[in-house]
Amino acid sequence: MIEHHQLPIHQIRIGIYGTSTIVDRIMKVMASFPVFAPVPVVVSEEQEAPELTDRMQGEMEAMLLADPLAQRKLATGEWLPLPVYPVPVNEAGFYRALFAAERQGKLTGGISVDTMPEGVVRQVMQALDLSNVQAAIYAGPEREPGTSAPGERIADFHQAWYDSGACSVALTGIESVARELSKRGIPHERVLPSDQDIQMSLEQAMLSAVSRRSREGQMVVGMIRIDDFAAQALKRNNEHEVQKLKLDIHRMMLDYVESLDGCLSHLGGDEYMFFTTRSVFRRETGGYKAIPLAKAVNETYGISLSIGIGFGHSASSAGTNARIALSKSKEAGGNACFIIREDRTLIGPLAMAEQERDALSFTDASFIKRAEEAGMASAYLSKLLHQRARFGKYEYKVHELAHLLGITVRSAHRLLQLWSDHDLVEISGIEKVPRGRPRQIFKFSFLE
């Protein structure tokens, strides 16, 4: 058991979602978790989950989800607006429901069960020496197409077994099903999570929130390089104007880093470094989507920037990751920003002076390793990611790819064959030309 008095004094705002029966129960268990500031969200119908959680987003750090039907929506990925921690119903809850049914004289025949895995049901029945008792277990969808109530089909399942005489009591984990069974006069018992199940979910939510807060305070190192400053300097009439340009750019850098509550250092030449925290950087970039500084510098002076951002558990590791990210921005041809997280996951490119069509999200480190093992050098991968984000391009003819990567057509053919062997590239079409052989179009499927 976790010693709660050792936790941070700042409370964690957590929503408690479910019907009144289960919310009341969770609130009682939560009394022993002073770290939480609970916000109960009592609903009458399970389908309210998506719209309610949308409203809660931004107000809560997490949500405890106690309804089985809403948990199914979570499992299918229908809605994930904020960190959600389901409260499971395990053996203890099933034991309790069986005991209540037997004590009230309902367990005179078989049982029909929903929201419980078959393995758990069989294991409990065997442990209680009830292996000879009929157990009908529901495993279908909660809603029949065309029905209005989410649990209507499940209630029909229980009624069919009860009417057949094979089952004398229904065990359900869904309140709407329990209400429907009451209307139909079918004996039933609720299967509810035990106090221990609730405690385990609360501890998981607590540890995750503490870890997330620690991550938000993590140091971020940014490295900025002015792209081809020498060419811009040649456009000035004299050295005085060049120095004035440098001062103006430096002032814009200072203003931007000030908005990040950070500090800026000039590394000499055309490079700068800044420090801030992860939570502030995420906020100012709109969730790692855009770099306002790049657009401002481009619109004011016609200058583009290469930016690398590094996250890390220490200043040293964050700095190393920032340098790697900057190199990827340079490899992409400049006017780009990449982020390397503490686990070496790649994010980017972020929107810069030109609006990105579709900035790619996390690129897993294992994928990057697989691509490099297939002969896809880091510089090639950076350029492909950049083109995909900026122009939505993931199909190339050989001469287009050769031009992008700065290699010969023959080398491009060789690389495409190698990447095809590693399932990174496939032929997506043929372009007919007036003279000569048709040209194959190659699709980078991992970018699609």
Side-chain angles (χ1 to χ4, degrees):
M1 182 65 67
I2 294 176
E3 296 293 334
H4 305 306
H5 64 273
Q6 296 178 352
L7 292 167
I9 60 173
H10 300 293
Q11 287 189 303
I12 300 165
R13 290 181 59 80
I14 184 169
I16 311 300
Y17 173 90
T19 51
S20 57
T21 303
I22 188 62
V23 168
D24 290 344
R25 186 162 187 173
I26 292 175
M27 292 293 289
K28 290 178 182 177
V29 176
M30 192 174 282
S32 61
F33 287 76
V35 71
F36 287 115
V39 180
V41 182
V42 179
V43 296
S44 57
E45 296 295 339
E46 294 82 354
Q47 66 264 36
E48 296 177 27
E51 59 187 62
L52 279 171
T53 49
D54 284 342
R55 291 208 307 268
M56 292 166 65
Q57 188 177 12
E59 301 176 11
M60 310 296 167
E61 291 187 60
M63 182 174 70
L64 210 64
L65 189 60
D67 179 78
L69 294 188
Q71 288 175 11
R72 289 190 185 185
K73 287 181 177 292
L74 174 67
T76 57
E78 291 185 35
W79 48 282
L80 289 167
L82 75 167
V84 177
Y85 303 92
V87 179
V89 179
N90 294 319
E91 292 92 335
F94 189 52
Y95 273 116
R96 172 178 247 155
L98 275 174
F99 177 72
E102 184 175 25
R103 186 178 57 183
Q104 297 175 38
K106 300 175 182 177
L107 195 59
T108 58
I111 61 172
S112 56
V113 186
D114 63 52
T115 68
M116 290 296 297
E118 182 176 355
V120 173
V121 174
R122 302 298 180 197
Q123 182 180 349
V124 171
M125 298 291 282
Q126 186 175 2
L128 295 176
D129 198 22
L130 296 174
S131 301
N132 59 332
V133 176
Q134 169 88 36
I137 304 167
Y138 182 80
E142 68 270 15
R143 187 197 293 262
E144 181 75 46
T147 59
S148 56
E152 192 172 314
R153 178 169 183 171
I154 302 177
D156 291 341
F157 162 81
H158 288 297
Q159 182 169 7
W161 280 98
Y162 180 73
D163 291 344
S164 72
C167 296
S168 63
V169 63
L171 304 183
T172 179
I174 307 168
E175 186 157 327
S176 60
V177 174
R179 288 198 304 267
E180 183 64 26
L181 293 175
S182 294
K183 291 178 185 178
R184 301 183 187 188
I186 298 174
H188 63 277
E189 286 294 331
R190 284 292 308 275
V191 181
L192 297 171
S194 66
D195 289 355
Q196 184 179 10
D197 293 332
I198 296 171
Q199 288 174 354
M200 288 180 63
S201 295
L202 287 170
E203 289 176 359
Q204 181 186 11
M206 178 180 61
L207 291 173
S208 296
V210 171
S211 174
R212 192 163 54 251
R213 284 182 175 181
S214 174
R215 223 170 29 241
E216 290 296 285
Q218 195 178 71
M219 178 178 289
V220 170
V221 176
M223 303 194 74
I224 305 172
R225 185 180 185 277
I226 301 172
D227 294 331
D228 200 10
F229 181 80
Q232 296 296 325
L234 289 174
K235 298 177 182 179
R236 269 55 189 179
N237 295 324
N238 51 56
E239 183 62 22
H240 175 76
E241 289 190 5
V242 173
Q243 294 303 318
K244 186 176 182 297
L245 175 63
K246 288 184 177 181
L247 287 173
D248 289 342
I249 293 174
H250 190 93
R251 189 177 297 112
M252 292 189 75
M253 300 275 190
L254 284 171
D255 290 342
Y256 176 66
V257 173
E258 183 180 13
S259 74
L260 297 174
D261 295 331
C263 62
L264 178 74
S265 295
H266 185 204
L267 301 181
D270 306 331
E271 287 194 353
Y272 296 81
M273 176 184 287
F274 67 84
F275 300 86
T276 184
T277 59
R278 188 162 177 166
S279 60
V280 174
F281 183 74
R282 179 171 56 82
R283 182 191 71 211
E284 294 300 316
T285 57
Y288 313 135
K289 293 178 182 177
I291 300 290
L293 172 67
K295 186 173 183 180
V297 171
N298 184 266
E299 290 180 348
T300 306
Y301 302 108
I303 291 174
S304 66
L305 304 175
S306 293
I307 303 176
I309 307 296
F311 300 162
H313 297 297
S314 66
S316 175
S317 60
T320 299
N321 288 341
R323 179 62 69 181
I324 296 172
L326 179 62
S327 69
K328 291 191 175 298
S329 297
K330 293 177 184 176
E331 290 166 354
N335 191 26
C337 175
F338 285 93
I339 299 172
I340 300 290
R341 299 199 307 172
E342 64 277 8
D343 59 359
R344 292 298 173 93
T345 301
L346 175 70
I347 308 175
L350 280 65
M352 300 289 282
E354 298 175 22
Q355 182 61 42
E356 309 292 0
R357 279 188 43 158
D358 181 21
L360 293 181
S361 185
F362 302 109
T363 304
D364 192 87
S366 61
F367 167 77
I368 296 174
K369 181 179 180 182
R370 185 165 71 90
E372 290 178 347
E373 287 175 349
M376 187 175 290
S378 175
Y380 298 162
L381 180 59
S382 297
K383 290 179 179 179
L384 289 167
L385 289 173
H386 200 224
Q387 290 292 106
R388 170 63 178 87
R390 181 151 294 164
F391 306 112
K393 188 172 180 62
Y394 54 86
E395 291 185 323
Y396 293 87
K397 294 185 278 290
V398 176
H399 68 279
E400 292 176 329
L401 185 66
H403 178 72
L404 173 67
L405 302 183
I407 58 178
T408 65
V409 172
R410 182 176 181 180
S411 295
H413 270 296
R414 180 179 57 80
L415 287 174
L416 284 168
Q417 181 61 53
L418 180 62
W419 297 340
S420 296
D421 293 342
H422 288 80
D423 298 323
L424 297 175
V425 177
E426 60 186 58
I427 297 173
S428 61
I430 300 291
E431 180 189 54
K432 294 183 179 179
V433 294
R435 296 181 179 179
R437 298 173 58 185
R439 298 171 179 170
Q440 292 178 322
I441 301 173
F442 295 88
K443 178 173 69 176
F444 288 79
S445 50
F446 69 90
L447 294 175
E448 182 181 14

